[in-house]
Amino acid sequence: MWGTQGSGDSQFIYPPGVAVAPDGSVYVADTDTPNSRVQKFTASGAFVTKWGTQGSGDGQFNRAVGVAVAPDGSVYVADTLNHRIQKFSASGAFVTKWGTEGSGDGQFRYPRGVAVAPDGSVYVVDTDSSRIQKFTASGVFVTKWGTEGSGNSQFNIPLGVAFAPDGSVYVADTNNHRIQKFSASGVFVTKWGTQGSDHFESPSGVAVAPDGSVYVADTNNHRIQVFSFPLP
């Protein structure tokens, strides 16, 4: 393990997001002020570099919550309170950004989770708009799905998203206490979970292993749950 509380290299203030690159590099969203940055480490935790300050300019953040790495090494950050996604090179050089506050296509209301598919498509959890938005690697809007509610393809404060090797998209539908599974284009496939100590309590994070196993951060039950398919 590595890290202590603080603002120096390899120190953090409430980091909520982490991603691993194809080369094993680890990127951490070091969210709270005064840090407001992303830190990069080797697989063993050796500090490599950092970038970001508090603000709304290119390469600045206002509560950067989610981070994801593309197959080409590009780093995407959900810059939550700036209502946008920022894209960087593997070394932290600013590449592009997209998004403003709102509910239109390509706009966001407090985006938190981000995931990248093998083809470079970017999936964003547009949390307060209760939907998922899909973009090209350069930020061109492709499609969206989801409305507020508890039915299939509806969400209540979704926080996490993950892309599986078979092309499936998994969403941590946090306040509905469940996981929903979709096709790459947003077609509903299945769901599981209800609220309770033997199910989920506000799951916030989801990740998929190369073998398709689904790992869920069952936040308020203080545990990780692992699922394989078909579900029992």
Side-chain angles (χ1 to χ4, degrees):
M1 63 180 180
W2 68 90
T4 57
Q5 185 173 0
S7 298
D9 295 346
S10 301
Q11 292 186 311
F12 308 106
I13 300 180
Y14 301 108
V18 61
V20 181
D23 68 357
S25 299
V26 179
Y27 295 85
V28 180
D30 187 13
T31 298
D32 273 12
T33 55
N35 291 5
S36 298
R37 63 189 181 182
V38 172
Q39 293 195 65
K40 178 181 179 180
F41 303 89
T42 67
S44 59
F47 176 80
V48 176
T49 190
K50 64 187 175 185
W51 70 90
T53 57
Q54 176 75 21
S56 58
D58 295 346
Q60 295 184 312
F61 305 111
N62 191 353
R63 289 199 61 81
V65 171
V67 61
V69 184
D72 68 357
S74 298
V75 180
Y76 294 84
V77 180
D79 188 9
T80 302
L81 295 191
N82 280 326
H83 309 282
R84 66 186 181 181
I85 300 296
Q86 294 195 67
K87 178 181 180 180
F88 302 89
S89 71
S91 60
F94 175 81
V95 176
T96 191
K97 65 185 175 186
W98 70 91
T100 56
E101 185 174 5
S103 299
D105 296 345
Q107 293 185 308
F108 304 109
R109 293 177 61 231
Y110 305 102
R112 287 176 171 85
V114 60
V116 186
D119 68 357
S121 298
V122 181
Y123 294 81
V124 180
V125 182
D126 189 8
T127 298
D128 281 27
S129 288
S130 300
R131 65 185 181 180
I132 303 297
Q133 293 195 66
K134 179 181 178 180
F135 302 88
T136 68
S138 58
V140 177
F141 174 81
V142 176
T143 191
K144 64 186 175 186
W145 69 90
T147 58
E148 185 174 0
S150 58
N152 296 342
S153 300
Q154 294 185 314
F155 303 108
N156 187 354
I157 309 297
L159 294 179
V161 62
F163 195 88
D166 68 357
S168 300
V169 179
Y170 294 86
V171 179
D173 187 10
T174 303
N175 281 9
N176 279 326
H177 310 283
R178 66 186 182 182
I179 300 297
Q180 293 196 66
K181 179 181 179 180
F182 302 89
S183 73
S185 59
V187 177
F188 175 81
V189 177
T190 190
K191 65 186 176 186
W192 72 94
T194 57
Q195 185 175 12
S197 60
D198 57 344
H199 294 285
F200 295 121
E201 283 285 352
S202 303
S204 60
V206 61
V208 185
D211 67 359
S213 298
V214 180
Y215 292 75
V216 179
D218 189 9
T219 304
N220 287 355
N221 277 328
H222 311 285
R223 64 188 181 186
I224 301 297
Q225 294 197 60
V226 185
F227 301 89
S228 59
F229 291 87
L231 290 169

